[in-house]
Amino acid sequence: MGRFVIRRLLQSGVVLLGVTLVVFLLLQLVPGDPVRVALGTRFDPQTYEALRARAGLDRPLVVQYLSYLGNALTGDLGVSFRSGRPVTSIVLERLPATLSLAATAVAFAVLVAFPLGVLSAMRSGSLLDHAARVFSQFGVSVPDFWMGIMGILLFAGVLGWLPPSGYVPITEDPARWASHVVLPAVTVGLVTASILTRFIRSSVLEVLSEDYVRTAEAKGLRARVVIMRHVLRNALIPVVTVVAVQLASLLGGVIVIEVLFAWPGVGRLTYDAVQARDYPVLQGAVLLVAALFLLTNLLVDVLYARLDPRISVR
C-alpha cells in the first residue's frame, strides 16, 4: 500500500506539471493585456512598465514558465494583478467556503439518493420505482441555476425562511453558516442526488441478479442480512467512483451556483479572475482544482481495497 501511494503521488506530480504547462500556454492565447486591465483608469506608462517587469511579463515565455514553476514548487504562486496579494493566500482563503459547500451538498445527496436508489431497486416496477426514476430524470434535466433561482424566490422571497445569498464561516457562527449554506447546498445536492440515485439503482439491480444473492436467500437468511452483507457491499464499488467524481467536481467550485448565491468559493474566484484577466489567480485556482481531483482519485483507489478484499493495490 505504501509503495502504491508513493507511486501515485509521483504520477500526480507529473500530471500537475502538465496542468501548469497547458494552463500557461492557453493563457497566452487569451486576448487582452492583464496589466492594462488591472490598471484601468489609473493607466500610466511608467506604472504599466513597472508592473509588467514586476510580474515578469517582459521576459521570454520559456523564462516566465520556468520561473513560475520554480516558485510554485516552494508554494509561491505569484501575486494577483488586481489586488497585489499573494495568490496562495487568496486561494487558501476561498477554499474553506468551497469545502463546506461541497461536503454539505454531497452529504445531502447521499442521504437522499442512497435509500431512494436501494428501495427503487428492491421494488423494481412499483410506484416508488417510477417516482425515483422521474426524480432522477428531473434532476439531470433541469439546470441547477434555475432551481437556485426558484429556491431563492420561494424560501427567501415568499416564505422568508432563509437568506437569499451570502456566506458566514462555520467557525464564526455555525447557526448562520447553516442558514446560508442550505439553499446552495440543496440546489447542487439535488443534481448530484439524481445522478447517484440512477447509479445506485442500477448497481443494486445488477447485484440482486447474482447467484450468490439467490443462494443466500435460499439458505433462509433474513432480507436485511442479505441486503447489508451481500448486496450493498458489492453494489457500493461503482457508486463510490460516482460519489468521488461528484465530490471532486464540487471541490473545483460550482461557478454558476457560487455566483448566484454570492458564495466566496474557488468557483467564484475563478470567475472573477477570468473577468479581470488576473492570470496568476486563475493559474493558482486551476492548479488547486487539479490537485483536489488527483487527491480524491487516490483516496478512492485506497477505499476500493478496503471495500473489496479482491481488489489489490500495488
Side-chain angles (χ1 to χ4, degrees):
M1 179 68 74
R3 292 182 179 179
F4 170 77
V5 173
I6 293 175
R7 185 171 67 252
R8 285 294 302 272
L9 289 175
L10 294 176
Q11 293 173 353
S12 299
V14 176
V15 173
L16 290 177
L17 178 64
V19 169
T20 60
L21 179 60
V22 171
V23 173
F24 178 82
L25 294 178
L26 288 177
L27 289 179
Q28 306 308 314
L29 302 177
V30 178
D33 189 332
V35 178
R36 181 68 178 84
V37 173
L39 287 174
T41 57
R42 300 170 300 171
F43 176 77
D44 175 80
Q46 294 182 347
T47 305
Y48 173 78
E49 294 298 335
L51 288 178
R52 279 185 59 85
R54 179 185 175 186
L57 298 179
D58 57 341
R59 295 179 290 178
L61 292 180
V62 175
V63 177
Q64 291 183 39
Y65 175 71
L66 293 178
S67 176
Y68 173 79
L69 191 61
N71 292 332
L73 292 174
T74 64
D76 181 9
L77 299 178
V79 178
S80 169
F81 290 155
R82 184 170 57 174
S83 65
R85 296 179 56 208
V87 173
T88 304
S89 300
I90 297 175
V91 173
L92 292 180
E93 284 178 1
R94 298 296 188 97
L95 185 58
T98 293
L99 290 176
S100 63
L101 176 59
T104 306
V106 170
F108 170 80
V110 171
L111 290 175
V112 172
F114 190 80
L116 189 59
V118 173
L119 291 175
S120 176
M122 296 292 297
R123 302 178 183 179
S124 179
S126 66
L127 181 61
L128 175 62
D129 182 30
H130 290 299
R133 295 166 70 178
V134 170
F135 165 75
S136 178
Q137 191 63 38
F138 175 82
V140 174
S141 305
V142 177
D144 53 1
F145 68 86
W146 184 85
M147 287 193 288
I149 293 173
M150 294 300 102
I152 292 174
L153 291 176
L154 176 60
F155 295 102
V158 177
L159 300 176
W161 292 351
L162 299 169
S165 61
Y167 168 74
V168 175
I170 188 173
T171 54
E172 180 179 316
D173 191 334
R176 290 184 60 197
W177 168 84
S179 66
H180 281 83
V181 80
V182 167
L183 278 179
V186 170
T187 301
V188 177
L190 284 175
V191 178
T192 305
S194 63
I195 298 173
L196 290 179
T197 299
R198 177 179 299 181
F199 274 90
I200 293 172
R201 178 183 181 275
S202 300
S203 184
V204 172
L205 279 175
E206 182 179 353
V207 174
L208 284 173
S209 63
E210 296 292 338
D211 292 337
Y212 60 82
V213 175
R214 288 195 291 267
T215 301
E217 292 174 343
K219 287 181 177 180
L221 294 178
R222 290 181 298 176
R224 180 179 179 183
V225 176
V226 174
I227 294 298
M228 297 300 296
R229 291 186 180 179
H230 299 281
V231 176
L232 292 185
R233 184 162 187 174
N234 291 281
L236 279 178
I237 300 298
V239 174
V240 167
T241 303
V242 180
V243 173
V245 170
Q246 294 299 315
L247 176 60
S249 300
L250 297 180
L251 289 175
V254 188
I255 296 178
V256 175
I257 297 301
E258 289 189 2
V259 172
L260 177 63
F261 288 97
W263 194 264
V266 176
R268 188 179 176 190
L269 176 66
T270 305
Y271 173 81
D272 292 339
V274 172
Q275 292 289 96
R277 302 291 195 278
D278 200 344
Y279 294 164
V281 173
L282 183 58
Q283 286 177 299
V286 172
L287 188 61
L288 173 65
V289 172
L292 291 174
F293 261 94
L294 294 170
L295 179 60
T296 303
N297 288 332
L298 174 59
L299 294 177
V300 169
D301 289 340
V302 174
L303 185 59
Y304 273 174
R306 298 297 183 185
L307 290 175
D308 191 346
R310 296 171 298 178
I311 300 177
S312 61
V313 289
R314 297 177 181 176

